Amino acid sequence: TPKGSCLESVKIAIDAGYRHIDGAFVYYNEHEVGQAIREKIAEGRIKREDIFYCGKLWNTCHPPELVRPTLEKTLKILQLDYVDLYIIELPMAFKPGDAIYPKDENGKIIYHETDLCATWEAMEACKDAGLAKSIGVSNFNRRQLEMILNKPGLKYKPVSNQVECHPYFTQPKLLEFCRQHDIVIVGYSPLGTSRDETWVNVSSPPLLKDPVLNAIGKKYNKTAAQVALRFSIQRGVVVIPKSFNPQRIRENFQIFDFSLTEKEMKEIEALNKNVRYVELLM
């Protein structure tokens, strides 16, 4: 993000009422997020305990001995004492080192063999040390979740699994499995995504142009985006919409003054195309 834009966006979001901030070391903007939080605390607008900050363990940091130092580095960048949630960003490991995307001479990612259960134990130790209030995962499928849940000597199960989730990709099976195990689904790209072809499947239809979402929006005097977000939270999915536009940041928050009928929920559920915008091609 351009210098300062993340700082401003987080301050606008806090003023609008947002309290859950989803970040990651690999976004390269945690210093601005931390500054925004600290400035709002200094203004007396919020207290630290009002904010729910999620940080992420990147793929190059899966070996157990790297987990705590990586989280400590994140806390130093944020200038905070703890994160509210720390999650394993992806269930795959890259070669440890300074390169975020380590590649061989042919430009192919260099993977690294690690044991997710050992990584999880190091995450549990971070929770015990008070560096993270809760721990979870991201982009895990059922098999990978079961590996953690069935781990001998499991101390803490993942509280959440952050995955792509929206009306075109409703994740019904994973949602049901997670419900059974009291794991909250946090849906990223709840509005579809930006059309950035470096990481998005741009051949997929743009979610917010969907006629059903727009027709329902018209009825409630809401945007298609507000309908898509309302749909997710009504089915128990936490949403983390991304925006740098002050008006849209505020709009995305204005979803608590209406609710969708059962019929409308079913209509939106029927839009599912099993379309992933974020294909995670690595």
Side-chain angles (χ1 to χ4, degrees):
T1 51
K3 194 171 182 209
S5 68
C6 176
L7 172 69
E8 281 314 305
S9 297
V10 173
K11 291 203 289 192
I12 289 162
I14 289 172
D15 285 342
Y18 288 82
R19 295 296 178 261
H20 175 184
I21 300 167
D22 182 73
F25 169 72
V26 81
Y27 300 162
Y28 297 120
N29 56 16
E30 285 190 307
H31 56 294
E32 291 192 15
V33 177
Q35 187 185 336
I37 293 169
R38 293 193 313 278
E39 282 183 20
K40 286 295 161 189
I41 291 171
E43 275 175 32
R45 167 75 67 167
I46 50 164
K47 298 188 182 79
R48 168 64 186 95
E49 56 269 28
D50 297 332
I51 292 290
F52 186 91
Y53 185 81
C54 171
K56 303 188 183 86
L57 180 78
W58 181 240
N59 307 5
T60 53
C61 310
H62 280 208
E65 66 278 7
L66 296 181
V67 174
R68 180 167 175 162
T70 304
L71 174 50
E72 285 171 340
K73 190 172 172 185
T74 282
L75 292 173
K76 198 172 170 189
I77 293 168
L78 288 163
Q79 291 182 42
L80 296 175
D81 297 331
Y82 65 90
V83 292
D84 298 272
L85 176 62
Y86 198 52
I87 63 180
I88 300 174
E89 189 157 355
L90 281 153
M92 62 178 85
F94 295 166
K95 180 188 167 196
D98 293 332
I100 294 292
Y101 292 96
K103 289 178 179 169
D104 64 17
E105 60 277 10
N106 304 313
K108 294 265 187 279
I109 292 271
I110 306 170
Y111 294 98
H112 186 70
E113 200 169 302
T114 50
D115 173 2
L116 277 176
C117 289
T119 305
W120 186 253
E121 285 171 7
M123 296 282 284
E124 290 178 324
C126 289
K127 176 171 157 59
D128 281 338
L131 301 177
K133 299 272 186 195
S134 295
I135 50 176
V137 296
S138 180
N139 297 302
F140 274 49
N141 62 26
R142 177 178 175 154
R143 182 179 62 80
Q144 292 151 346
L145 284 168
E146 283 177 335
M147 207 154 74
I148 304 285
L149 292 170
N150 299 331
K151 185 184 87 63
L154 181 71
K155 201 165 185 186
Y156 307 112
K157 65 182 184 183
V159 297
S160 60
N161 184 18
Q162 188 179 125
V163 294
E164 180 173 346
C165 193
H166 47 73
Y168 283 178
F169 194 52
T170 52
Q171 300 265 28
K173 286 182 177 167
L174 188 62
L175 186 58
E176 186 46 42
F177 175 78
C178 286
R179 273 194 188 126
Q180 289 166 3
H181 292 276
D182 286 331
I183 297 169
V184 175
I185 289 271
V186 178
Y188 67 73
S189 303
L191 304 174
T193 55
S194 61
R195 314 298 280 175
D196 180 344
E197 56 198 25
T198 59
W199 57 278
V200 170
N201 173 4
V202 287
S203 66
S204 305
L207 177 69
L208 299 184
K209 294 217 165 85
D210 188 90
V212 173
L213 296 178
N214 282 280
I216 293 172
K218 212 168 239 169
K219 174 184 159 184
Y220 294 105
N221 198 21
K222 293 287 180 185
T223 63
Q226 288 167 321
V227 172
L229 294 175
R230 181 72 211 179
F231 165 74
S232 285
I233 64 164
Q234 266 187 234
R235 60 200 291 261
V237 172
V238 172
V239 286
I240 42 174
K242 181 178 88 171
S243 179
F244 293 100
N245 175 316
Q247 186 193 341
R248 290 204 199 106
I249 289 172
R250 292 184 193 105
E251 263 179 16
N252 289 343
F253 198 77
Q254 289 156 4
I255 56 171
F256 303 104
D257 55 356
F258 77 110
S259 54
L260 301 166
T261 64
E262 207 170 315
K263 179 173 173 279
E264 288 160 347
M265 288 292 288
K266 287 206 159 48
E267 280 171 22
I268 299 172
E269 261 167 33
L271 298 176
N272 183 36
K273 304 179 191 317
N274 280 326
V275 160
R276 269 184 204 274
Y277 288 108
V278 186
E279 294 182 310
L280 299 171
L281 297 174
M282 87 277 276

